[in-house]
């Protein structure tokens, strides 16, 4: 009995099938050997020896052989049931969209920074996630406020377990600790969540626009990556549509603050009011976040800022764009000297290790007396650029993204009212996405049914043509071929109509899925669909290994 190709890629089932196959072959071989070594009587009936002891031995052996044959038959029957049940499970049970995440609402920055995955590593992460036994597709959304993994899982429970263990392995955080802070959402709830994220409803700063750009980046990076498949890519593309629509049709973004502007607000709140205009400002990093910090400092009346960056090119571009503030460039190797001359230091780089530790800060001179002699470090990076140990220095105060809640709380009530308008749009778009995803369920069955009918048509057409002889002209041949195609198309029209629905009402959708399962059973399409699915997964894994 050969191992079914349907179980390629399912190690435990494949091992079990191989084990039973070898046992069956061994028993069969042994039985044949015994028969060949025994003298056969008339009509092929084995003649029993006259020796009683030998006779009893052969009778006992024959009984053992019968028991063994019955046992093998039972094993084969059990294996067939196992194969059928597996086919049922992986074709009848729909794969689930699952999000496993930790955000500013559920986990501290100390944990989020360990889990953070740089954008350049997203393709590698997707490949590793799709290499897990129960994960078909994946995407990573890693920002300063959240670390969320979206997957299409064959099994919800096993998929969540595998992804959580992967997160633990890559971050060094124990599984138990991740479980305390993670949130899990499935299917419609997962769809609702990413739509709310893209619309800015789940952000620390309600309505902020940067998250939409980050969702777009997930799609951009995922293009062409094996594992960023039809379901997950479709989900993120639809989320972009939702984010745009919410910002266009509601006022949620009007007057909205960003993480960068909240950081500036926090710094000004902590400074004496009399020194806000004269405080010396330093920004480490000239990326998107750093640029926004400079923009909001200028809006608050700051006349001069020192920007420390790896290269001067970006700083020069910002200087040309913002003529209302004096921007002084300093290279990265002068970072400590610049911090020593600043009263407020904003950090926003992609460094995976801290730029400032206790030993770097404790020897810096005190800040100006006008600001109380305390130097403020406002760190909006994840992973953090300023180590928590800096807070132990008496002349320093450290704030990170989690501390921005103090600023955001004051502006939240007004935007919560605007969020109600956005929820109406999100609910509508969620229904549309679920209908699109439901329509995907019947696609394999439609393809398989057409292929099945086409095989029958071609076979019967060949039989017909052979009976009609070789002297048929092209016109007659074409007419018979068209006739066969017309019959098949008319026959398939009814089933195909019952396999299509727009998802506008649950009753119609439910009936469509019932029709799909019925056709799968009637024409034996389920195992074909399963084998295609497994082959696709194996092909994907082989592609990832290249």
């Amino acid at each position: 009995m050969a191992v079914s190709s349907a179980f390629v890629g399912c190690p435990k089932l494949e091992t079990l099938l191989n084990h039973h196959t070898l046992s069956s072959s061994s028993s069969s071989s042994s039985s044949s050997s015994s028969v060949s070594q025994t003298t056969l009587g008339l009509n092929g009936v084995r003649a029993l020896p006259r020796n009683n002891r030998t006779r009893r031995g052969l009778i006992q052996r024959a009984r053992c052989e019968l028991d063994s044959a019955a046992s093998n038959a039972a094993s084969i029957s059990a294996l067939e049931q196992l194969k059928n049940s597996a086919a049922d499970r992986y074709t009848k049970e729909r794969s689930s969209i699952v999000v496993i995440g930790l955000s500013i609402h559920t986990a501290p920055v100390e944990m989020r920074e360990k889990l953070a995955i740089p954008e350049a590593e997203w393709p590698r992460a997707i490949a590793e996630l799709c290499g897990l036994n129960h994960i078909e597709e994946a995407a990573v959304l890693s920002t300063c406020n959240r670390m969320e993994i979206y997957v299409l899982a064959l099994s919800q429970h096993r998929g969540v377990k595998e992804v959580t263990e992967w997160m633990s392995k890559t971050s060094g955080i124990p599984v138990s600790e991740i479980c305390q802070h993670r949130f899990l959402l499935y299917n419609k709830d997962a769809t609702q969540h990413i739509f709310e994220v893209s619309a800015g409803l789940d952000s620390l700063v309600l309505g902020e626009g940067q998250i939409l750009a980050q969702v777009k980046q997930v799609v951009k990076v995922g293009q062409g990556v094996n594992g960023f498949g039809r379901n997950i890519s479709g989900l993120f593309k639809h989320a972009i549509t939702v984010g745009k629509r919410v910002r266009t049709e509601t006022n949620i973004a009007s007057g909205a603050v960003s993480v960068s502007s909240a950081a500036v607000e926090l710094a000004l709140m902590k400074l004496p009011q009399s020194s806000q205009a004269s405080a010396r400002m330093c920004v480490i990093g000239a990326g998107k976040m750093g640029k926004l910090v400079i923009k909001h400092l200028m809006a608050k009346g700051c006349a001069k800022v020192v920007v420390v960056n790896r290269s001067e090119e970006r700083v020069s571009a910002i200087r040309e764009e913002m003529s209302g503030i004096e921007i002084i460039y300093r290279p990265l190797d002068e970072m400590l000297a610049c911090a020593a001359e600043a009263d407020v230091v904003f950090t926003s780089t992609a460094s995976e290790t801290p730029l400032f530790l206790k030993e770097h800060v404790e020897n810096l001179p005190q800040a100006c007396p006008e600001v109380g002699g305390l130097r403020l470090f406002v760190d909006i990076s994840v992973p953090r650029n300023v180590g928590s140990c800096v807070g132990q220095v008496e002349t320093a105060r450290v704030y990170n993204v989690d501390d921005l809640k103090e600023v955001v709380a004051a502006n939240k009530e007004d935007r919560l009212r605007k969020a109600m308008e956005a929820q109406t749009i999100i609910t509508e778009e969620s229904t549309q996405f679920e209908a699109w995803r439901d329509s995907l369920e019947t696609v394999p069955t439609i393809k398989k049914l057409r292929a099945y009918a086409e095989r029958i048509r071609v076979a019967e057409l060949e039989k017909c043509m052979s009976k009609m002889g070789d002297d048929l002209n092209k016109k007659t041949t074409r007419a018979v071929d068209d006739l066969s195609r017309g019959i098949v198309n008319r026959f398939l029209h009814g089933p195909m109509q019952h396999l299509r629905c727009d998802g506008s009402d649950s009753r119609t959708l439910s009936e469509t899925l019932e029709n799909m399962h019925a056709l799968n059973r009637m024409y034996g399409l389920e195992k074909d669909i399963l084998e295609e699915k497994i082959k696709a997964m194996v092909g994907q894994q082989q592609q990832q290994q290249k």
Side-chain angles (χ1 to χ4, degrees):
M1 184 178 121
V3 177
S4 170
S5 62
F7 291 96
V8 175
C10 299
K12 291 182 181 177
L13 286 174
E14 192 174 359
T15 302
L16 183 61
L17 285 169
N18 281 326
H19 171 73
H20 282 285
T21 303
L22 290 172
S23 298
S24 300
S25 301
S26 175
S27 298
S28 175
S29 174
S30 174
S31 176
S32 300
S33 176
S34 298
V35 172
S36 66
Q37 292 174 10
T38 305
T39 304
L40 296 179
L42 295 174
N43 302 320
V45 177
R46 183 163 32 189
L48 292 176
R50 294 178 182 178
N51 184 292
N52 287 337
R53 181 179 299 173
T54 307
R55 232 168 154 185
R56 284 195 299 271
L58 279 175
I59 290 170
Q60 289 174 352
R61 184 185 298 173
R63 285 174 179 165
C64 288
E65 287 174 5
L66 287 172
D67 290 343
S68 176
S71 175
N72 286 338
S75 297
I76 292 170
S77 176
L79 286 172
E80 289 298 331
Q81 290 176 10
L82 179 63
K83 287 164 63 179
N84 290 333
S85 66
D88 284 347
R89 176 183 171 197
Y90 285 108
T91 54
K92 288 179 182 176
E93 283 191 15
R94 176 180 177 174
S95 296
S96 300
I97 290 179
V98 184
V99 56
I100 303 100
L102 297 94
S103 74
I104 195 168
H105 307 300
T106 68
V109 67
E110 292 83 0
M111 179 178 287
R112 300 200 309 276
E113 68 184 359
K114 292 178 183 176
L115 289 159
I117 300 175
E119 185 181 306
E121 296 295 315
W122 289 356
R124 176 194 58 79
I126 290 172
E128 290 183 5
L129 287 164
C130 290
L132 302 174
N133 287 340
H134 293 87
I135 303 302
E136 296 180 282
E137 301 176 16
V140 175
L141 178 59
S142 183
T143 74
C144 60
N145 286 336
R146 66 187 68 252
M147 163 56 181
E148 297 175 356
I149 294 176
Y150 293 78
V151 297
L152 185 71
L154 287 166
S155 162
Q156 289 184 3
H157 174 73
R158 291 179 177 86
V160 168
K161 183 175 183 291
E162 290 170 358
V163 172
T164 305
E165 288 173 350
W166 179 86
M167 292 169 76
S168 174
K169 181 181 176 182
T170 57
S171 67
I173 301 173
V175 168
S176 58
E177 193 174 341
I178 292 175
C179 290
Q180 287 176 12
H181 295 275
R182 77 181 179 190
F183 62 86
L184 303 173
L185 295 168
Y186 305 95
N187 295 316
K188 291 182 180 179
D189 290 336
T191 300
Q192 177 92 0
H193 176 72
I194 185 59
F195 288 180
E196 290 176 352
V197 167
S198 185
L201 267 62
D202 193 63
S203 299
L204 174 64
V205 180
L206 196 67
E208 59 101 358
Q210 193 171 5
I211 186 62
L212 178 57
Q214 291 162 336
V215 172
K216 288 179 181 178
Q217 197 63 19
V218 171
V219 175
K220 183 179 178 181
V221 173
Q223 295 300 321
V225 176
N226 284 324
F228 189 66
R230 180 167 55 178
N231 286 268
I232 296 298
S233 66
L235 176 67
F236 272 80
K237 287 173 182 175
H238 207 119
I240 293 169
T241 300
V242 173
K244 290 178 178 177
R245 188 179 165 197
V246 166
R247 285 170 175 80
T248 301
E249 299 180 23
T250 73
N251 294 321
I252 194 167
S254 62
V257 291
S258 64
V259 169
S260 299
S261 66
V264 172
E265 290 284 352
L266 179 65
L268 296 178
M269 283 171 60
K270 301 300 178 183
L271 288 171
Q273 193 168 359
S274 58
S275 64
Q276 289 181 0
S278 61
R280 298 170 298 172
M281 303 290 181
C282 176
V283 178
I284 314 292
K288 291 180 181 178
M289 302 284 275
K291 179 181 176 181
L292 286 172
V293 168
I294 299 168
K295 178 181 177 182
H296 289 293
L297 283 172
M298 182 177 69
K300 292 294 181 180
C302 179
K304 178 180 175 182
V305 62
V306 174
V307 181
V308 177
N309 197 55
R310 198 176 300 277
S311 65
E312 189 175 1
E313 185 179 354
R314 282 188 175 180
V315 180
S316 298
I318 295 172
R319 187 185 293 121
E320 289 179 10
E321 188 177 331
M322 302 180 194
S323 56
I325 185 172
E326 183 184 356
I327 299 174
I328 301 170
Y329 166 73
R330 290 287 182 269
L332 201 58
D333 56 9
E334 295 182 22
M335 181 182 69
L336 285 178
C338 292
E341 297 173 356
D343 301 314
V344 182
V345 179
F346 295 92
T347 59
S348 61
T349 79
S351 174
E352 294 185 29
T353 55
L355 302 178
F356 292 96
L357 295 172
K358 182 180 178 181
E359 54 265 33
H360 301 139
V361 177
E362 59 187 356
N363 294 323
L364 296 180
Q366 284 191 359
C368 289
E370 290 82 358
V371 298
L374 297 175
R375 181 171 288 105
L376 306 183
F377 288 88
V378 184
D379 185 6
I380 53 176
S381 304
V382 176
R384 288 172 295 175
N385 291 166
V386 182
S388 56
C389 55
V390 174
Q392 299 171 13
V393 178
E394 289 185 6
T395 56
R397 295 291 181 268
V398 181
Y399 303 96
N400 58 51
V401 287
D402 287 4
D403 296 309
L404 301 182
K405 294 176 183 178
E406 183 180 344
V407 178
V408 175
N411 302 314
K412 202 168 184 178
E413 284 187 16
D414 179 48
R415 273 187 294 277
L416 278 175
R417 287 192 293 271
K418 297 173 184 175
M420 297 300 293
E421 303 171 27
Q423 282 294 352
T424 304
I425 295 172
I426 288 171
T427 301
E428 180 185 325
E429 293 287 349
S430 295
T431 302
Q432 289 184 16
F433 175 78
E434 289 300 321
W436 171 78
R437 191 164 173 248
D438 288 331
S439 71
L440 298 182
E441 287 289 292
T442 62
V443 170
T445 298
I446 290 172
K447 288 181 178 178
K448 284 294 178 184
L449 185 58
R450 280 200 173 279
Y452 177 79
E454 180 64 12
R455 287 197 300 270
I456 294 175
R457 186 192 73 81
V458 170
E460 294 302 317
L461 183 63
E462 288 176 354
K463 286 181 188 177
C464 176
M465 291 298 186
S466 64
K467 290 178 181 178
M468 295 176 73
D470 298 329
D471 55 347
L472 291 175
N473 57 42
K474 289 184 179 180
K475 184 177 180 181
T476 304
T477 302
R478 189 180 301 111
V480 175
D481 185 74
D482 289 345
L483 175 65
S484 67
R485 291 180 187 276
I487 291 171
V488 168
N489 288 337
R490 290 292 295 273
F491 173 77
L492 289 178
H493 178 73
M496 292 301 176
Q497 286 295 102
H498 285 81
L499 285 177
R500 292 190 175 98
C501 74
D502 59 7
S504 57
D505 67 271
S506 58
R507 183 185 62 81
T508 303
L509 174 59
S510 176
E511 287 179 358
T512 300
L513 296 178
E514 285 178 13
N515 293 335
M516 179 189 75
H517 293 312
L519 286 167
N520 283 339
R521 288 193 300 271
M522 283 190 285
Y523 294 104
L525 306 177
E526 288 177 335
K527 290 183 182 178
D528 289 342
I529 293 170
L530 173 64
E531 290 200 8
E532 263 194 12
K533 198 172 192 179
I534 299 299
K535 283 177 184 176
M537 289 176 67
V538 172
Q540 182 177 311
Q541 290 173 355
Q542 289 173 345
Q543 188 71 25
Q544 290 166 358
Q545 290 169 0
K546 290 181 181 178

